[in-house]
Amino acid sequence: MTRKAIATFGLLLAAAAGVSAQEQVLNLYSARHYSTDEALYSNFTKATGIKINRVDADDAGILARLKAEGAASPADVILLVDAARLYRGEVDGLFKPIKSKALEEAIPAQYRGKATAEGTPWFGFSTRARVVAYDKLKVKREDVDTYEELADAKNKGKICIRSGSHPYNLSLFGAVTEHLGEQKAEMWLKGLQANLARDPKGGDTDQIKAVGAGECQIAVSNSYYIARLMRSSNPDDKALMEKVGVVFPNQNSWGTHLNIAGGAVARNAKNTDNAVKFLEYLASPEAQNYFANGNNEWPTAKGVKVSNPALQAISGGGDFKAETIPLTAVGANTVKVQQMLDRVGFK
């Protein structure tokens, strides 16, 4: 073999090795900042040999980065923790629709993006309920067992909530808008704003602690923050949760609002096959159990049963009525909701 032929053969081998290496890599942009997810990633790598390179940021930061990077983006998979953000990524064309029989069979339709001839743009892998926490000594449970009652004058000056523009609240308010219609939803937001005990500030855990401290009597929170406090070994957290009751609203009407954490293949993914494998893995019973027990979330995959004492305790045994409206509709309402918030002066 001539030197030229040897050199050419060497280049071919290097190119082949580069393709092989590329096939064994997955570039992940994740808004999930939960230490328990590390087991998900390591187990996926052990099972497939695919190495995960991860970039962590919040939802808004990830979407902004994808837009800025454009076709040069190295991202293969995007993980976000809110329906409104998933919807925004879909509308902005940042996701690559995919066809996967495994995902379509595992994930119910209301927990997916809108399917087209190209495929489905995103899939939800876990849910969290938007619930009401209340001071058991000062508030009657029946006065806070619907979202509508949060705007009732009987609860004036009692409510703590984080910013209305936070994605968790935008999604809740988007769901209420879907149920009530725009006109009634805006009146509801005005009533809710009038019932605040203080200006919105802090995160969900801060709202619950404010109830315990007597700063307010009612708070709105995602369920996993409450479950986290219940599972805590900190004496202060245990004392707090003895004072606080939890309601899953609207059990006699449309059901409690669920938000979602989900994933998508990036529009300019270079490792699409690996990306689809990863999303399919997240729908597996093993991964779904990590979601449920690691961060106190409910799995979305059909037929997956989990045992999480904290979730069972706050939901009365684990069974509660959840709303069934498509989360794409919730996301589509968030622009209207932000405009309503501005009009009623909800910070």
Side-chain angles (χ1 to χ4, degrees):
M1 184 179 288
T2 66
R3 288 184 178 180
K4 183 177 180 180
I6 291 173
T8 301
F9 184 64
L11 289 173
L12 290 172
L13 282 178
V19 171
S20 176
Q22 186 180 45
E23 289 175 347
Q24 297 306 310
V25 170
L26 177 74
N27 296 316
L28 171 65
Y29 285 9
S30 177
R32 289 182 61 90
H33 308 143
Y34 314 125
S35 59
T36 51
D37 284 358
E38 295 297 331
L40 287 173
Y41 308 139
S42 62
N43 287 349
F44 175 75
T45 298
K46 289 176 184 177
T48 64
I50 299 170
K51 178 186 176 182
I52 295 177
N53 300 316
R54 191 170 88 247
V55 172
D56 291 327
D58 61 18
D59 297 69
I62 287 173
L63 295 180
R65 179 168 179 164
L66 287 171
K67 289 180 181 178
E69 290 174 340
S73 176
D76 297 311
V77 169
I78 311 302
L79 294 183
L80 302 176
V81 293
D82 175 71
R85 300 297 194 193
L86 285 162
Y87 175 79
R88 178 48 50 196
E90 174 185 348
V91 169
D92 290 347
L94 300 177
F95 303 153
K96 179 186 293 185
I98 61 171
K99 294 181 179 180
S100 165
K101 185 178 179 181
L103 287 169
E104 289 166 5
E105 289 180 349
I107 308 300
Q110 70 261 34
Y111 300 139
R112 305 183 222 148
K114 187 176 181 180
T116 66
E118 291 181 276
T120 302
W122 57 266
F123 294 85
F125 296 109
S126 64
T127 63
R128 56 285 296 271
R130 199 84 178 129
V131 300
V132 174
Y134 65 96
D135 186 322
K136 290 190 289 188
L137 295 179
K138 298 177 181 179
V139 175
K140 296 178 181 178
R141 182 184 180 87
E142 58 267 28
D143 285 344
V144 290
D145 61 1
T146 69
Y147 295 117
E148 296 97 307
E149 287 173 297
L150 297 177
D152 193 293
K154 65 187 174 185
N155 289 319
K156 189 172 182 62
K158 297 181 180 180
I159 297 174
C160 283
I161 195 168
R162 70 194 304 163
S163 170
S165 297
H166 188 277
Y168 296 164
N169 281 335
L170 284 178
S171 291
L172 169 61
F173 300 162
V176 171
T177 300
E178 190 69 13
H179 293 299
L180 298 182
E182 290 182 47
Q183 185 176 5
K184 289 183 178 179
E186 185 164 335
M187 291 175 61
W188 177 78
L189 284 171
K190 187 175 182 179
L192 175 59
Q193 193 275 337
N195 284 348
L196 297 182
R198 65 179 189 188
D199 287 341
K201 63 178 181 179
D204 282 4
T205 302
D206 297 312
Q207 316 312 316
I208 303 165
K209 289 183 176 181
V211 172
E215 190 172 350
C216 54
Q217 299 172 29
I218 302 166
V220 180
S221 171
N222 275 358
S223 50
Y224 65 85
Y225 291 104
I226 294 173
R228 203 179 283 170
L229 289 168
M230 291 184 69
R231 297 179 75 173
S232 171
S233 58
N234 186 317
D236 291 338
D237 293 340
K238 290 181 178 294
L240 170 64
M241 295 317 296
E242 288 177 0
K243 297 179 181 179
V244 174
V246 180
V247 171
F248 281 62
N250 295 77
Q251 291 303 286
N252 294 321
S253 58
W254 64 64
T256 298
H257 170 64
L258 293 183
N259 206 336
I260 198 165
V265 176
R267 168 60 70 180
N268 297 296
K270 311 301 189 293
N271 302 294
T272 301
D273 289 345
N274 292 350
V276 172
K277 286 179 183 177
F278 182 68
L279 294 184
E280 289 176 342
Y281 168 72
L282 293 184
S284 69
E286 177 188 28
Q288 290 282 287
N289 270 283
Y290 274 112
F291 280 131
N293 292 314
N295 194 49
N296 303 300
E297 300 171 89
W298 284 278
T300 59
K302 299 173 185 176
V304 175
K305 300 293 183 182
V306 298
S307 178
N308 182 311
L311 290 180
Q312 290 179 334
I314 64 173
S315 60
D319 293 325
F320 66 94
K321 182 179 180 180
E323 66 183 3
T324 58
I325 56 174
L327 287 172
T328 51
V330 173
N333 285 336
T334 54
V335 173
K336 300 174 187 175
V337 168
Q338 186 60 67
Q339 294 169 346
M340 294 180 202
L341 292 171
D342 293 341
R343 287 195 292 267
V344 304
F346 200 127
K347 296 180 180 180

